[in-house]
Amino acid sequence: MVWDRQTKMEYEWKPDEQGLQQILQLLKESQSPDTTIQRTVQQKLEQLNQYPDFNNYLIFVLTKLKSEDEPTRSLSGLILKNNVKAHFQNFPNGVTDFIKSECLNNIGDSSPLIRATVGILITTIASKGELQNWPDLLPKLCSLLDSEDYNTCEGAFGALQKICEDSAEILDSDVLDRPLNIMIPKFLQFFKHSSPKIRSHAVACVNQFIISRTQALMLHIDSFIENLFALAGDEEPEVRKNVCRALVMLLEVRMDRLLPHMHNIVEYMLQRTQDQDENVALEACEFWLTLAEQPICKDVLVRHLPKLIPVLVNGMKYSDIDIILLKGDVEEDETIPDSEQDIRPRFHRSRTVAQQHDEDGIEEEDDDDDEIDDDDTVSDWNLRKCSAAALDVLANVYRDELLPHILPLLKELLFHHEWVVKESGILVLGAIAEGCMQGMIPYLPELIPHLIQCLSDKKALVRSITCWTLSRYAHWVVSQPPDTYLKPLMTELLKRILDSNKRVQEAACSAFATLEEEACTELVPYLAYILDTLVFAFSKYQHKNLLILYDAIGTLADSVGHHLNKPEYIQMLMPPLIQKWNMLKDEDKDLFPLLECLSSVATALQSGFLPYCEPVYQRCVNLVQKTLAQAMLNNAHPDQYEAPDKDFMIVALDLLSGLAEGLGGNIEQLVARSNILTLMYQCMQDKMPEVRQSSFALLGDLTKACFPHVKPCIADFMPILGTNLNPEFISVCNNATWAIGEISIQMGIEMKPYIPMVLHQLVEIINRPNTPKTLLENTAITIGRLGYVCPQEVAPMLQQFIRPWCTSLRNIRDNEEKDSAFRGICTMISVNPSGVIQDFIFFCDAVASWINPKDDLRDMFCKILHGFKNQVGDENWRRFSDQFPLPLKERLAAFYGV
């Protein structure tokens, strides 16, 4: 059959019968389940794209060939949509016009499937920048809304809803002469339409413009809210869902307009959260989550708590459908291999260098590990999770004031004979753990043993949720004498790590990792027992849980540190890890968690890791080298070579850091025999921030471990470090700052030529408002260290940083870094004493933060304090020191005699 490449395009276009049959044949074949056939079809479709009127055939089948079955016609439209996405700019004008007119003429097709397909096609053309080049599209669709014919009105509304979803921004810009000024009032008229489908479209269209506070909607906001209230009791679930969604967004955007009606809205949302239709209930439940983030939440909700709490608690039960989907009746599945789509992509968290603090170890870092995430196979977000999340945030708003509403319910749930109810009670207990911890303490001596018993419940779903809830109380458990709760909890959790149910294994492993973080060295007496279990799990676990097991082992190493470095522990732990390491190929993403785990283990084992370090080191260097080579090929020929997954390189750099930190000087020969510094020079200049972040961490660690190898490269590295002192990339900036500090200690006076490259940025960062604590601390330490080695160069700027310098270092623990930084500040004060005069009280406070400084550092402090006192005279000093808070005054008197 001959395709005519030169067909003259006109609206009178008619398909060639043979061509039409050929395309229909293809459409039929593409519905075949056989993948080989599908692949051939794909190739043929690609070839056909070379013919200008191929797309005319596709639109013809969609809109004119009514004799064909609907799935085939719809498929033809979807293939056309993909062509529009890929090659629209190459369509000849005639073809484009033909497609556009066919779309508009058939938006009212009698089949809902065809109408929807035409709508998708229209919005795809519109989002290819064609809203400007298709001026009659919006007016035409809006006028079709007034059609007497239901199909036409519904089809036009469906298309408009898709356009509002896909092109909201451009609709609200001057490019199109602001069509929303006409469209939004028009949509509002349809809120009262007799057809539920149309009402639903109308609300959905307007909803697209709430969050962006679109001017055209803000003008009609009162009429919009009034119309929403009118739909409150709509019998169509889709309408109720869109009404709830609108109210949730208005909470964030126009709280002022909702406030007068708040009482009624809350009452309404209470009803909707119990809606028969779970989609409506879920949308309504979001309301409590959003409201809890608003400052007015506490006052607004307080009178509704007696009603709201039971509703949320009730929503936390598994639905029957959840249990079926979760295979809740399957108790033992440990021998069934995981299907690959069960395994979520993992994101590696690159190394960030941070200081140890004196507080009780509660980190303000965002701990995303204790999210309420106990059943990830059910659709990711459901009523149960939303209710639990809402209870969690409300517990953080009301704290212990929530307990009178919760405790009576908990008593009933936790000891209920139906497992589903009992399970929901355990989830409730976990959800309130963070917010109501203080108020729960009196009940914990009774509850924790009960929960430890629930760990051996006969239902797997009860065992798994109990693991999670116990992990939420780990902080309290660890604060009690170890034999009371820690030991029994640990014993039972370790049994659950070897449970015969995969979900329980997973929950137990995650809970154990949390317990490890809280207990730290408290676990040392039980190490043999713990390792025994974790190593046995290696042989037992399927794919997905292995990845979580690596995390539990890595966290254990982080928590007990050098206590792990005993021959018998190393003998247990290393063989299975190295066996996995040898099995995995360089392209296997399972390397990520294994490398992270090994990094923690290497740091903990220190010299104990020596027998394993060479192959591990070599492979990491190879991973970095391979990734860089692939990236270069991809940059040069993006069409021939795909971009590498840089995570391989990031994780490898982080493991090299772990080795350098653990092995110290022992890494020297490995570095000598490899080209790692050349590779690092490239990594430090990578476009991807995480790569730079990890390479600066490694630079700092190698500087500490084997500086003679790093030193020849310093002239090349320092300018790069200087340009990365950009607080827009917090972690990159943090690690670069730390590395500069480490380098300066090694370089000593030779650091002088590099000070101008970095000092101004560091002083700027330490004075920036809202800079994260970790970055401030590292910046202060590095400024101190630069001043320690080159006081003449840094001291002149003392006045510009002394105050934030003192406040950021007063809370960190005594350590080497703090020591060198304070020596630096004392040296600079002796060079430029006037730089500290105005902020001397801050210096006194920072000095007092030392628990036990080394003798010569204490002498430096003494000299400065007494020098200042003698200079101002006793009378002035007394007046000055009267401003001190009492503890500071007493401390300085006791330690330094001033």
Side-chain angles (χ1 to χ4, degrees), residues 23-31 61 72 75-76 79:
I23 284 178
L24 285 173
Q25 183 58 35
L26 269 182
L27 291 170
K28 294 271 190 280
E29 282 173 6
S30 71
Q31 295 172 56
V61 174
T72 304
L75 184 63
S76 183
I79 292 172

Side-chain angles (χ1 to χ4, degrees), residues 652-864:
L653 289 166
D654 286 347
L655 175 46
L656 287 168
S657 281
L659 288 175
E661 197 181 327
L663 299 171
N666 288 320
I667 202 171
E668 188 271 331
Q669 289 161 325
L670 295 171
V671 174
R673 294 200 299 268
S674 70
N675 60 341
I676 185 64
L677 288 152
T678 322
L679 298 175
M680 278 164 61
Y681 181 64
Q682 290 174 265
C683 292
M684 288 180 199
Q685 299 175 75
D686 198 277
K687 290 196 298 281
M688 191 174 174
E690 291 80 2
V691 176
R692 302 200 300 277
Q693 172 183 342
S694 292
S695 57
F696 294 141
L698 178 55
L699 173 60
D701 282 316
L702 288 180
T703 298
K704 288 170 79 167
C706 55
F707 189 63
H709 291 294
V710 179
K711 193 171 180 182
C713 311
I714 291 299
D716 293 325
F717 289 173
M718 281 307 299
I720 302 174
L721 286 163
T723 51
N724 277 281
L725 295 176
N726 167 10
E728 217 179 306
F729 298 106
I730 292 291
S731 303
V732 179
C733 181
N734 180 64
N735 289 2
T737 304
W738 174 74
I740 293 168
E742 290 299 338
I743 289 168
S744 61
I745 290 293
Q746 301 287 345
M747 290 283 281
I749 194 68
E750 293 177 65
M751 195 67 186
K752 191 172 164 181
Y754 304 113
I755 302 267
M757 293 180 188
V758 298
L759 185 59
H760 281 278
Q761 296 97 300
L762 292 168
V763 172
E764 207 171 297
I765 291 167
I766 204 168
N767 283 294
R768 265 185 78 211
N770 306 329
T771 305
K773 208 165 66 177
T774 308
L775 180 55
L776 282 178
E777 291 163 357
N778 277 321
T779 306
I781 283 171
T782 294
I783 291 175
R785 292 176 145 192
L786 290 170
Y788 179 50
V789 296
C790 300
Q792 301 297 339
E793 281 63 34
V794 186
M797 295 190 71
L798 196 53
Q799 203 178 338
Q800 294 178 43
F801 60 75
I802 184 71
R803 188 169 177 168
W805 190 96
C806 292
T807 48
S808 56
L809 289 187
R810 60 187 301 269
N811 289 326
I812 67 168
R813 281 191 206 156
D814 296 6
N815 64 14
E816 283 304 314
E817 299 188 4
K818 185 172 174 177
D819 179 273
S820 54
F822 271 84
R823 285 171 195 276
I825 218 79
C826 292
T827 316
M828 288 188 275
I829 290 173
S830 60
V831 172
N832 175 17
S834 62
V836 74
I837 296 291
Q838 288 177 309
D839 298 306
F840 199 70
I841 185 167
F842 291 93
F843 176 72
C844 296
D845 177 55
V847 165
S849 78
W850 275 88
I851 311 290
N852 39 9
K854 292 183 182 156
D855 290 346
D856 56 338
L857 181 60
R858 184 190 297 254
D859 294 343
M860 291 167 103
F861 291 158
C862 246
K863 207 165 133 191
I864 292 174

Side-chain angles (χ1 to χ4, degrees), residues 354-392:
Q355 294 300 320
Q356 296 286 305
H357 291 156
D358 284 334
E359 303 99 294
D360 51 2
I362 298 178
E363 291 181 29
E364 53 178 288
E365 280 256 15
D366 44 12
D367 257 353
D368 48 13
D369 299 340
D370 53 1
E371 291 283 303
I372 294 176
D373 186 21
D374 47 281
D375 43 15
D376 43 10
T377 34
V378 175
S379 75
D380 273 343
W381 189 240
N382 54 27
L383 184 60
R384 166 186 166 91
K385 285 188 186 176
C386 191
S387 306
L391 188 60
D392 185 356

Side-chain angles (χ1 to χ4, degrees), residues 8-39:
K8 190 163 170 296
M9 294 300 167
E10 288 168 354
Y11 279 98
E12 305 319 308
W13 181 87
K14 293 276 182 295
D16 166 271
E17 196 45 45
Q18 258 183 302
L20 188 58
Q21 286 315 312
Q22 192 181 338
I23 284 178
L24 285 173
Q25 183 58 35
L26 269 182
L27 291 170
K28 294 271 190 280
E29 282 173 6
S30 71
Q31 295 172 56
S32 146
D34 183 341
T35 42
T36 4
I37 298 184
Q38 281 184 8
R39 231 172 293 148

Side-chain angles (χ1 to χ4, degrees), residues 483-711:
D483 285 353
T484 331
Y485 307 107
L486 178 61
K487 205 171 160 188
L489 170 58
M490 195 185 58
T491 314
E492 284 306 308
L493 261 185
L494 288 171
K495 286 185 196 157
R496 292 293 65 85
I497 285 180
L498 303 178
D499 200 277
S500 55
N501 178 280
K502 291 195 285 193
R503 175 171 291 99
V504 180
Q505 295 171 357
E506 178 185 359
C509 246
S510 301
F512 197 72
T514 306
L515 185 65
E516 290 169 338
E517 282 172 358
E518 292 290 352
C520 291
T521 49
E522 297 271 343
L523 296 178
V524 172
Y526 316 110
L527 265 175
Y529 183 41
I530 294 171
L531 285 170
D532 220 18
T533 304
L534 297 180
V535 169
F536 187 67
F538 257 112
S539 56
K540 189 176 169 75
Y541 275 13
Q542 299 293 341
H543 186 176
K544 179 182 171 188
N545 286 349
L546 261 183
L547 307 184
I548 298 163
L549 181 62
Y550 293 141
D551 181 54
I553 292 173
T555 308
L556 180 67
D558 293 338
S559 303
V560 301
H562 65 90
H563 296 285
L564 201 55
N565 187 6
K566 288 216 175 107
E568 64 270 29
Y569 297 158
I570 297 176
Q571 227 4 76
M572 291 167 79
L573 182 59
M574 288 309 295
L577 284 175
I578 295 295
Q579 188 201 347
K580 294 286 177 198
W581 167 265
N582 291 332
M583 277 164 49
L584 292 175
K585 296 193 179 61
D586 278 355
E587 301 68 58
D588 194 327
K589 289 207 162 89
D590 285 5
L591 270 179
F592 299 167
L594 179 56
L595 285 161
E596 282 174 43
C597 169
L598 279 171
S599 176
S600 297
V601 170
T603 308
L605 291 185
Q606 297 170 342
S607 59
F609 198 79
L610 269 173
Y612 307 95
C613 66
E614 189 159 0
V616 173
Y617 179 89
Q618 239 0 90
R619 185 167 190 180
C620 288
V621 174
N622 289 344
L623 281 168
V624 175
Q625 194 155 356
K626 265 188 172 171
T627 312
L628 287 171
Q630 177 80 13
M632 281 173 73
L633 286 173
N634 167 256
N635 280 339
H637 312 284
D639 41 341
Q640 292 167 35
Y641 297 96
E642 52 182 291
D645 182 343
K646 287 191 178 168
D647 278 355
F648 284 105
M649 172 158 77
I650 295 166
V651 185
L653 289 166
D654 286 347
L655 175 46
L656 287 168
S657 281
L659 288 175
E661 197 181 327
L663 299 171
N666 288 320
I667 202 171
E668 188 271 331
Q669 289 161 325
L670 295 171
V671 174
R673 294 200 299 268
S674 70
N675 60 341
I676 185 64
L677 288 152
T678 322
L679 298 175
M680 278 164 61
Y681 181 64
Q682 290 174 265
C683 292
M684 288 180 199
Q685 299 175 75
D686 198 277
K687 290 196 298 281
M688 191 174 174
E690 291 80 2
V691 176
R692 302 200 300 277
Q693 172 183 342
S694 292
S695 57
F696 294 141
L698 178 55
L699 173 60
D701 282 316
L702 288 180
T703 298
K704 288 170 79 167
C706 55
F707 189 63
H709 291 294
V710 179
K711 193 171 180 182

